[in-house]
Amino acid sequence: MNRSDRVREAQAGNHAAFLALIEEQQDRLRRIAYYYVRQDMDAEDVVHEAIYKALVGLPKLKQPQFFATWLTRIVINCALTALDKRQRLVPDDSRAAERQPALAPDPDDRLDLRSAVRQLEPKQRQVIAFKYWHDMTIENRRFAP
């Protein structure tokens, strides 16, 4: 029995024929899915979703000789959908600081820093104070002549 005959049987409701068609294509489908999603578990999910969609949409297939092409297109669409969902779920690193709880500085660290700054020359101490404690830059600070 050729593939087109098996597809017609599957369209008529023969689940064994559909299963045989899927088993014949399964390794190829998994490779295609993996090519897009690059993770084994996601590729398995994509193939399972595609098989379900193929089973539901099989009666609508008009040209049984193009079953493999049709199934490949379903896998690719499912993989692209999975990638789109993954991109929406990936946290944006630019907002990661907002999600992190603010850590209170350790008082001992603060004392060590102040002690180290006190050991600097007066002009160096002034630059550190303006920059880090007063949020000033050289452009903001006007030095008197």
Side-chain angles (χ1 to χ4, degrees):
M1 175 184 307
N2 66 20
R3 184 182 298 159
S4 295
D5 292 337
R6 204 175 296 140
V7 170
R8 284 187 197 94
E9 282 188 24
Q11 286 179 314
N14 184 342
H15 292 297
F18 181 76
L19 184 60
L21 288 165
I22 294 301
E23 286 176 352
E24 175 183 300
Q25 300 285 321
Q26 194 164 7
D27 290 337
R28 190 177 65 81
L29 298 177
R30 193 173 290 121
R31 282 192 310 270
I32 292 168
Y34 184 82
Y35 175 80
Y36 284 91
V37 297
R38 299 288 185 196
Q39 292 181 3
D40 287 329
M41 290 185 67
D42 289 345
E44 286 291 324
D45 289 344
V46 165
V47 170
H48 290 165
E49 179 71 18
I51 291 170
Y52 170 75
K53 287 185 176 191
L55 180 62
V56 171
L58 189 60
K60 297 175 189 171
L61 180 63
K62 294 179 182 170
Q63 297 176 318
Q65 67 271 23
F66 296 119
F67 175 78
T69 306
W70 175 74
L71 187 57
T72 300
R73 190 68 231 170
I74 293 173
V75 169
I76 292 170
N77 287 340
C78 288
L80 293 174
T81 300
L83 285 175
D84 185 46
K85 286 179 184 177
R86 186 190 306 167
Q87 286 177 347
R88 283 186 267 145
L89 295 177
V90 173
D92 182 9
D93 288 341
S94 65
R95 301 187 78 194
E98 295 174 11
R99 292 188 304 274
Q100 296 293 329
L103 298 175
D106 186 12
D108 293 336
D109 290 342
R110 196 180 277 176
L111 292 175
D112 290 341
L113 179 63
R114 289 189 188 273
S115 172
V117 170
R118 270 190 240 119
Q119 294 175 10
L120 295 173
E121 295 291 322
K123 285 192 176 209
Q124 294 171 333
R125 227 182 6 244
Q126 187 179 30
V127 169
I128 298 293
F130 284 135
K131 172 72 175 155
Y132 294 102
W133 289 317
H134 302 294
D135 285 329
M136 295 180 76
T137 62
I138 293 173
E139 292 83 24
N140 295 71
R141 175 74 176 119
R142 295 186 184 210
F143 291 99

Short mmCIF file of all heavy atoms in Angstrom, two decimals, residues 77-113:
data_model
loop_
_atom_site.label_atom_id
_atom_site.label_comp_id
_atom_site.label_asym_id
_atom_site.label_seq_id
_atom_site.Cartn_x
_atom_site.Cartn_y
_atom_site.Cartn_z
N ASN A 77 5.35 25.49 11.38
CA ASN A 77 4.47 26.50 11.99
C ASN A 77 4.41 26.34 13.50
O ASN A 77 4.43 27.33 14.24
CB ASN A 77 3.08 26.42 11.39
CG ASN A 77 3.04 26.96 9.97
OD1 ASN A 77 3.91 27.71 9.55
ND2 ASN A 77 2.03 26.55 9.22
N CYS A 78 4.33 25.11 13.98
CA CYS A 78 4.32 24.87 15.43
C CYS A 78 5.64 25.29 16.07
O CYS A 78 5.65 25.85 17.17
CB CYS A 78 4.04 23.40 15.73
SG CYS A 78 2.34 22.89 15.41
N ALA A 79 6.75 25.04 15.38
CA ALA A 79 8.06 25.44 15.90
C ALA A 79 8.17 26.96 15.98
O ALA A 79 8.67 27.51 16.97
CB ALA A 79 9.17 24.87 15.03
N LEU A 80 7.70 27.64 14.96
CA LEU A 80 7.74 29.11 14.96
C LEU A 80 6.85 29.68 16.06
O LEU A 80 7.21 30.66 16.71
CB LEU A 80 7.34 29.65 13.59
CG LEU A 80 8.33 29.34 12.46
CD1 LEU A 80 7.76 29.80 11.12
CD2 LEU A 80 9.69 29.96 12.72
N THR A 81 5.71 29.05 16.29
CA THR A 81 4.84 29.48 17.37
C THR A 81 5.53 29.28 18.72
O THR A 81 5.45 30.14 19.60
CB THR A 81 3.51 28.71 17.32
OG1 THR A 81 2.88 28.97 16.07
CG2 THR A 81 2.58 29.12 18.46
N ALA A 82 6.20 28.14 18.89
CA ALA A 82 6.91 27.86 20.14
C ALA A 82 8.03 28.88 20.36
O ALA A 82 8.24 29.34 21.49
CB ALA A 82 7.48 26.44 20.12
N LEU A 83 8.74 29.24 19.30
CA LEU A 83 9.79 30.25 19.43
C LEU A 83 9.22 31.59 19.82
O LEU A 83 9.79 32.31 20.65
CB LEU A 83 10.56 30.37 18.11
CG LEU A 83 11.53 29.26 17.79
CD1 LEU A 83 12.12 29.46 16.40
CD2 LEU A 83 12.63 29.17 18.82
N ASP A 84 8.09 31.94 19.23
CA ASP A 84 7.44 33.20 19.56
C ASP A 84 7.03 33.23 21.03
O ASP A 84 7.24 34.21 21.73
CB ASP A 84 6.23 33.42 18.65
CG ASP A 84 5.59 34.77 18.85
OD1 ASP A 84 6.33 35.77 18.91
OD2 ASP A 84 4.35 34.83 18.96
N LYS A 85 6.48 32.13 21.52
CA LYS A 85 6.09 32.06 22.93
C LYS A 85 7.31 32.14 23.84
O LYS A 85 7.28 32.80 24.87
CB LYS A 85 5.34 30.76 23.21
CG LYS A 85 3.94 30.74 22.68
CD LYS A 85 3.26 29.43 22.97
CE LYS A 85 1.89 29.35 22.36
NZ LYS A 85 1.25 28.05 22.58
N ARG A 86 8.39 31.48 23.43
CA ARG A 86 9.61 31.50 24.23
C ARG A 86 10.17 32.91 24.33
O ARG A 86 10.60 33.33 25.39
CB ARG A 86 10.66 30.57 23.63
CG ARG A 86 11.89 30.45 24.51
CD ARG A 86 13.03 29.76 23.85
NE ARG A 86 12.73 28.46 23.31
CZ ARG A 86 13.54 27.79 22.49
NH1 ARG A 86 14.67 28.31 22.12
NH2 ARG A 86 13.20 26.61 22.03
N GLN A 87 10.13 33.66 23.23
CA GLN A 87 10.64 35.03 23.25
C GLN A 87 9.81 35.92 24.16
O GLN A 87 10.34 36.81 24.80
CB GLN A 87 10.67 35.61 21.85
CG GLN A 87 11.79 35.04 21.01
CD GLN A 87 11.77 35.55 19.59
OE1 GLN A 87 10.80 36.17 19.16
NE2 GLN A 87 12.83 35.29 18.86
N ARG A 88 8.52 35.66 24.21
CA ARG A 88 7.67 36.45 25.09
C ARG A 88 7.90 36.11 26.55
O ARG A 88 7.66 36.93 27.42
CB ARG A 88 6.20 36.26 24.74
CG ARG A 88 5.81 37.04 23.50
CD ARG A 88 4.34 36.96 23.25
NE ARG A 88 4.11 35.84 22.35
CZ ARG A 88 3.08 35.04 22.37
NH1 ARG A 88 2.14 35.22 23.25
NH2 ARG A 88 2.97 34.05 21.52
N LEU A 89 8.39 34.91 26.83
CA LEU A 89 8.61 34.48 28.21
C LEU A 89 9.99 34.79 28.73
O LEU A 89 10.21 34.78 29.92
CB LEU A 89 8.36 32.96 28.33
CG LEU A 89 6.94 32.50 28.07
CD1 LEU A 89 6.86 30.98 28.14
CD2 LEU A 89 5.99 33.12 29.08
N VAL A 90 10.94 35.10 27.85
CA VAL A 90 12.31 35.37 28.28
C VAL A 90 12.33 36.73 28.95
O VAL A 90 11.88 37.72 28.39
CB VAL A 90 13.28 35.35 27.07
CG1 VAL A 90 14.66 35.81 27.49
CG2 VAL A 90 13.33 33.97 26.48
N PRO A 91 12.85 36.79 30.19
CA PRO A 91 12.86 38.08 30.89
C PRO A 91 13.81 39.04 30.22
O PRO A 91 14.86 38.67 29.70
CB PRO A 91 13.35 37.71 32.30
CG PRO A 91 14.02 36.40 32.16
CD PRO A 91 13.40 35.72 30.98
N ASP A 92 13.42 40.29 30.21
CA ASP A 92 14.23 41.36 29.65
C ASP A 92 15.28 41.75 30.69
O ASP A 92 14.95 42.21 31.77
CB ASP A 92 13.33 42.54 29.31
CG ASP A 92 14.09 43.68 28.66
OD1 ASP A 92 15.27 43.49 28.31
OD2 ASP A 92 13.50 44.76 28.50
N ASP A 93 16.55 41.58 30.37
CA ASP A 93 17.62 41.85 31.32
C ASP A 93 17.70 43.31 31.73
O ASP A 93 18.20 43.64 32.79
CB ASP A 93 18.98 41.42 30.75
CG ASP A 93 19.11 39.91 30.71
OD1 ASP A 93 18.35 39.23 31.43
OD2 ASP A 93 19.98 39.41 29.97
N SER A 94 17.19 44.20 30.89
CA SER A 94 17.25 45.61 31.24
C SER A 94 16.35 45.93 32.43
O SER A 94 16.57 46.91 33.11
CB SER A 94 16.85 46.47 30.05
OG SER A 94 15.50 46.24 29.71
N ARG A 95 15.36 45.08 32.69
CA ARG A 95 14.46 45.32 33.81
C ARG A 95 14.75 44.37 34.96
O ARG A 95 14.01 44.32 35.92
CB ARG A 95 13.02 45.17 33.35
CG ARG A 95 12.71 46.15 32.21
CD ARG A 95 11.30 46.14 31.85
NE ARG A 95 10.61 46.93 32.86
CZ ARG A 95 9.31 46.93 33.01
NH1 ARG A 95 8.56 46.23 32.23
NH2 ARG A 95 8.75 47.65 33.94
N ALA A 96 15.82 43.60 34.88
CA ALA A 96 16.15 42.63 35.92
C ALA A 96 16.41 43.31 37.25
O ALA A 96 16.06 42.78 38.30
CB ALA A 96 17.36 41.79 35.51
N ALA A 97 17.01 44.48 37.22
CA ALA A 97 17.31 45.20 38.46
C ALA A 97 16.03 45.58 39.20
O ALA A 97 16.01 45.59 40.43
CB ALA A 97 18.13 46.44 38.17
N GLU A 98 14.97 45.86 38.47
CA GLU A 98 13.70 46.22 39.10
C GLU A 98 13.08 45.04 39.84
O GLU A 98 12.41 45.22 40.84
CB GLU A 98 12.71 46.71 38.05
CG GLU A 98 13.14 47.99 37.37
CD GLU A 98 12.20 48.36 36.24
OE1 GLU A 98 11.12 47.74 36.12
OE2 GLU A 98 12.55 49.27 35.47
N ARG A 99 13.32 43.82 39.32
CA ARG A 99 12.74 42.64 39.95
C ARG A 99 13.54 42.14 41.14
O ARG A 99 13.04 41.41 41.97
CB ARG A 99 12.61 41.51 38.91
CG ARG A 99 11.61 41.79 37.84
CD ARG A 99 11.39 40.58 36.98
NE ARG A 99 12.60 40.06 36.39
CZ ARG A 99 13.15 40.48 35.26
NH1 ARG A 99 12.58 41.44 34.58
NH2 ARG A 99 14.25 39.93 34.80
N GLN A 100 14.82 42.54 41.21
CA GLN A 100 15.67 42.08 42.30
C GLN A 100 15.39 42.92 43.55
O GLN A 100 15.25 44.13 43.48
CB GLN A 100 17.15 42.22 41.92
CG GLN A 100 17.57 41.35 40.78
CD GLN A 100 17.51 39.89 41.14
OE1 GLN A 100 17.71 39.52 42.28
NE2 GLN A 100 17.19 39.05 40.18
N PRO A 101 15.32 42.26 44.70
CA PRO A 101 15.14 43.04 45.92
C PRO A 101 16.38 43.88 46.19
O PRO A 101 17.50 43.44 45.94
CB PRO A 101 14.93 41.98 47.00
CG PRO A 101 15.53 40.74 46.43
CD PRO A 101 15.40 40.84 44.95
N ALA A 102 16.17 45.09 46.66
CA ALA A 102 17.29 45.96 46.96
C ALA A 102 18.03 45.42 48.17
O ALA A 102 17.44 45.08 49.19
CB ALA A 102 16.79 47.37 47.23
N LEU A 103 19.33 45.35 48.04
CA LEU A 103 20.16 44.87 49.15
C LEU A 103 20.68 46.06 49.92
O LEU A 103 21.22 47.00 49.35
CB LEU A 103 21.33 44.03 48.63
CG LEU A 103 20.95 42.76 47.88
CD1 LEU A 103 22.20 42.10 47.32
CD2 LEU A 103 20.24 41.79 48.81
N ALA A 104 20.52 46.02 51.23
CA ALA A 104 21.04 47.09 52.07
C ALA A 104 22.56 46.94 52.15
O ALA A 104 23.06 45.83 52.33
CB ALA A 104 20.42 47.01 53.46
N PRO A 105 23.29 48.03 52.00
CA PRO A 105 24.75 47.92 52.10
C PRO A 105 25.15 47.49 53.51
O PRO A 105 24.53 47.88 54.50
CB PRO A 105 25.24 49.32 51.77
CG PRO A 105 24.07 50.22 51.88
CD PRO A 105 22.84 49.38 51.75
N ASP A 106 26.18 46.71 53.57
CA ASP A 106 26.69 46.25 54.84
C ASP A 106 27.39 47.42 55.54
O ASP A 106 28.26 48.06 54.95
CB ASP A 106 27.68 45.10 54.60
CG ASP A 106 28.16 44.46 55.89
OD1 ASP A 106 27.57 44.76 56.95
OD2 ASP A 106 29.13 43.68 55.82
N PRO A 107 27.02 47.75 56.76
CA PRO A 107 27.63 48.89 57.45
C PRO A 107 29.15 48.77 57.57
O PRO A 107 29.87 49.76 57.52
CB PRO A 107 26.98 48.89 58.84
CG PRO A 107 25.73 48.10 58.68
CD PRO A 107 25.97 47.14 57.56
N ASP A 108 29.65 47.56 57.72
CA ASP A 108 31.09 47.37 57.83
C ASP A 108 31.79 47.77 56.53
O ASP A 108 32.87 48.35 56.56
CB ASP A 108 31.43 45.91 58.17
CG ASP A 108 30.97 45.54 59.57
OD1 ASP A 108 30.83 46.46 60.41
OD2 ASP A 108 30.74 44.33 59.81
N ASP A 109 31.18 47.45 55.39
CA ASP A 109 31.76 47.84 54.11
C ASP A 109 31.80 49.35 53.97
O ASP A 109 32.75 49.92 53.44
CB ASP A 109 30.96 47.24 52.95
CG ASP A 109 31.10 45.74 52.84
OD1 ASP A 109 32.06 45.19 53.43
OD2 ASP A 109 30.25 45.12 52.18
N ARG A 110 30.77 50.00 54.45
CA ARG A 110 30.70 51.45 54.36
C ARG A 110 31.82 52.09 55.17
O ARG A 110 32.45 53.04 54.75
CB ARG A 110 29.33 51.92 54.85
CG ARG A 110 29.02 53.33 54.45
CD ARG A 110 27.68 53.76 54.93
NE ARG A 110 26.65 53.29 54.02
CZ ARG A 110 25.36 53.45 54.21
NH1 ARG A 110 24.95 54.02 55.31
NH2 ARG A 110 24.50 53.03 53.34
N LEU A 111 32.08 51.53 56.36
CA LEU A 111 33.14 52.06 57.20
C LEU A 111 34.50 51.88 56.55
O LEU A 111 35.36 52.77 56.61
CB LEU A 111 33.12 51.39 58.58
CG LEU A 111 31.90 51.71 59.46
CD1 LEU A 111 31.93 50.88 60.73
CD2 LEU A 111 31.87 53.18 59.80
N ASP A 112 34.74 50.74 55.93
CA ASP A 112 36.01 50.49 55.25
C ASP A 112 36.20 51.46 54.09
O ASP A 112 37.30 51.95 53.86
CB ASP A 112 36.07 49.05 54.73
CG ASP A 112 36.19 48.03 55.85
OD1 ASP A 112 36.58 48.41 56.97
OD2 ASP A 112 35.88 46.85 55.58
N LEU A 113 35.15 51.73 53.36
CA LEU A 113 35.23 52.65 52.23
C LEU A 113 35.55 54.06 52.72
O LEU A 113 36.42 54.73 52.17
CB LEU A 113 33.93 52.65 51.44
CG LEU A 113 33.87 53.59 50.25
CD1 LEU A 113 34.92 53.21 49.21
CD2 LEU A 113 32.49 53.57 49.63
#
